[in-house]
Amino acid sequence: FDVICSLFSVKKILEELNYYRNLKKINKINKQFKDILLRDYDELIFNYLVKNCKSTIILSGSIIETLLIYHLKKNKISKVEYEIDKKKVSKDLFDASLNDLLEYFEQNKLLQKQFVHLGSISRIFRNYVHPGKELRETEILDDSKSDLCYISASELINNII
């Protein structure tokens, strides 16, 4: 009985995190992206549940980057071109960073502004992958930042796929 109750609790938690909704969405896309997203999403869920904040933040950024690349590839866009400080930037799709992708999406109005901002949240905190940034800054990677990044990735899965 305890095992059944425990399994019911886990299922309820996963439902609250939109795990099943997001899995259903991810499973609809082509294999090239689906395999990467399924792997990273399962790792994201695990790390989020066990409160591995840095891992959650980094995986959220990776998922968002993959989603943006997926969206562009699906729309047959192979170059990311945008302007920053009156300088033109042009990169092949698979060479573009999360920042490049977000700039491109924002300047070309390919996503509603709020979704670009959700991606930016993860981009900002994902930069803590670099130890120097974490040592320089007074910012602490905690549950609230992890929550923001998880929610951002989950919302973008729901809205891009």
Side-chain angles (χ1 to χ4, degrees):
F1 180 73
D2 289 341
V3 172
I4 292 169
C5 288
S6 197
L7 288 173
F8 181 73
S9 294
V10 170
K11 185 172 189 224
K12 186 175 184 213
I13 290 167
L14 291 173
E15 285 172 353
E16 288 170 2
L17 294 175
N18 295 310
Y19 176 75
Y20 300 109
R21 176 200 74 187
N22 291 342
L23 268 188
K24 189 175 178 182
K25 291 235 176 206
I26 293 168
N27 274 303
K28 290 180 181 179
I29 66 174
N30 69 47
K31 185 172 175 41
Q32 179 184 21
F33 289 94
K34 178 170 56 175
D35 291 347
I36 292 169
L37 285 170
L38 286 173
R39 178 201 63 207
D40 287 357
Y41 188 62
D42 281 341
E43 284 185 38
L44 172 65
I45 288 292
F46 172 79
N47 282 289
Y48 185 68
L49 289 172
V50 298
K51 299 199 177 288
N52 289 336
C53 295
K54 187 170 182 176
S55 297
T56 298
I57 290 166
I58 291 167
L59 285 162
S60 293
S62 178
I63 287 169
I64 291 168
E65 188 171 328
T66 306
L67 288 168
L68 297 177
I69 292 170
Y70 161 75
H71 183 72
L72 293 175
K73 178 119 168 99
K74 184 174 118 180
N75 288 290
K76 299 183 182 357
I77 297 169
S78 60
K79 280 239 183 265
V80 174
E81 298 175 330
Y82 62 94
E83 195 173 296
I84 192 157
D85 297 327
K86 297 181 182 180
K87 180 184 168 202
K88 289 195 184 279
V89 177
S90 178
K91 294 188 178 182
D92 287 331
L93 180 58
F94 293 147
D95 293 330
S97 68
L98 180 54
N99 188 59
D100 295 322
L101 295 165
L102 290 167
E103 285 289 341
Y104 180 81
F105 271 81
E106 185 168 27
Q107 288 183 20
N108 291 282
K109 297 177 179 27
L110 295 176
L111 280 179
Q112 293 176 1
K113 212 169 188 68
Q114 69 265 27
F115 297 120
V116 173
H117 292 311
L118 286 176
S120 291
I121 289 169
S122 286
R123 181 192 56 79
I124 290 165
F125 294 125
R126 190 173 82 161
N127 284 335
Y128 282 91
V129 70
H130 306 291
K133 180 164 178 68
E134 196 167 357
L135 292 166
R136 277 191 316 273
E137 308 277 326
T138 57
E139 198 80 38
I140 295 176
L141 300 179
D142 58 16
D143 288 347
S144 65
K145 289 169 193 66
S146 176
D147 291 345
L148 283 170
C149 291
Y150 175 79
I151 292 166
S152 296
S154 181
E155 284 301 303
L156 285 165
I157 288 168
N158 191 44
N159 285 283
I160 289 179
I161 300 175

